[in-house]
Amino acid sequence: YKQKAQDYYNAISMKSGITWLDSKYFKPSLKKHLKEDTQIILNMIAHCGDWNAATDEKLNDLEKLLTTEHANEKVLIFTQYSDTARYIYEQLAQRGIKQLAYVSGDTQNVTSVVERFSPKSNGKEEVNDELRVLIATDVLSEGQNLQDAHIIVNFDLPWAIIRLIQRAGRVDRIGQTAEDIYCYSFFPTDGVEKLIKL
């Protein structure tokens, strides 16, 4: 079961977040558990109220990182889900971050975005609209040359440690000219692991 769960996780994280499940998993108990989970989520939404991005501490810290500590450097931001990548992109754009893009499994031409972010390491001499900040799902965690940057941010942590290694490997590779590579990771709020019994 663990291997099957890992296979499904890998399939979902590398695509658009959707994959087919075998119909043998659709049992009455699954329906019951989904209804219970849905009710819990609805109760949480009712309890917490509407989302206010202005109070999103991770997003605020990310904005600060991009506007103060690394204001003029290329930054590669990884997240698990395409919805989160789009959320980060929209919020940072609203906050005035320029030269910004995001890619996910739904992106039509990933190569052109990669070349705009990391033209030197991809053999492009002149690029229109060069990017400074690129937000990506794990669609970019393998097989891409992104070593024009030396700063990686893990906005959320993947379930498998190998993903962190693969993400860092996009910039920590032959052709990297920076002395140091910075890898920032946002961890869950203290105590969250206990609350969700992780």
Side-chain angles (χ1 to χ4, degrees):
Y1 285 112
K2 285 183 179 181
Q3 183 57 49
K4 200 66 168 169
Q6 183 65 45
D7 292 345
Y8 281 125
Y9 169 77
N10 289 337
I12 290 169
S13 66
M14 293 306 288
K15 291 190 201 172
S16 62
I18 301 171
T19 191
W20 290 100
L21 292 176
D22 193 308
S23 62
K24 69 183 177 186
Y25 294 108
F26 293 92
K27 299 177 181 179
S29 61
L30 176 62
K31 182 179 179 180
K32 175 181 175 265
H33 291 300
L34 287 174
K35 283 185 170 183
E36 290 171 356
D37 290 349
T38 301
Q39 190 55 54
I40 290 169
I41 291 170
L42 290 172
N43 291 343
M44 288 170 60
I45 291 169
H47 176 74
C48 296
D50 291 339
W51 179 253
N52 181 0
T55 62
D56 183 338
E57 291 181 24
K58 276 175 39 173
L59 187 65
N60 292 337
D61 286 345
L62 178 60
E63 179 188 12
K64 182 179 176 187
L65 188 74
L66 295 173
T67 57
T68 58
E69 294 173 59
H70 299 292
N72 299 309
E73 298 169 282
K74 288 184 178 276
V75 179
L76 177 60
I77 303 166
F78 278 107
T79 183
Q80 289 274 113
Y81 305 104
S82 57
D83 289 341
T84 307
R86 186 173 47 256
Y87 165 75
I88 296 167
Y89 169 79
E90 290 170 355
Q91 291 300 318
L92 291 177
Q94 286 177 17
R95 295 171 184 218
I97 303 295
K98 305 290 186 211
Q99 299 170 288
L100 172 71
Y102 82 98
V103 295
S104 68
D106 297 330
T107 303
Q108 294 296 319
N109 192 345
V110 172
T111 303
S112 69
V113 179
V114 165
E115 289 172 350
R116 285 176 56 211
F117 179 72
S118 193
K120 290 177 192 164
S121 60
N122 286 287
K124 299 293 173 188
E125 290 186 23
E126 286 190 32
V127 174
N128 293 333
D129 301 329
E130 187 170 341
L131 299 171
R132 184 178 79 83
V133 179
L134 180 59
I135 305 152
T137 61
D138 282 317
V139 72
L140 288 189
S141 68
E142 294 182 57
Q144 298 291 341
N145 292 318
L146 300 169
Q147 61 266 39
D148 287 17
H150 66 279
I151 302 157
I152 290 181
V153 176
N154 294 299
F155 194 77
D156 44 34
L157 296 177
W159 290 7
I161 191 73
I162 189 68
R163 288 271 184 248
L164 292 175
I165 296 166
Q166 289 168 333
R167 290 173 178 183
R170 296 315 87 222
V171 301
D172 188 11
R173 51 197 299 129
I174 293 172
Q176 177 57 257
T177 58
E179 283 289 318
D180 297 308
I181 292 173
Y182 296 94
C183 189
Y184 297 91
S185 295
F186 287 97
F187 290 93
T189 305
D190 291 341
V192 168
E193 318 84 49
K194 291 177 186 172
L195 288 172
I196 62 174
K197 299 178 180 164
L198 182 64

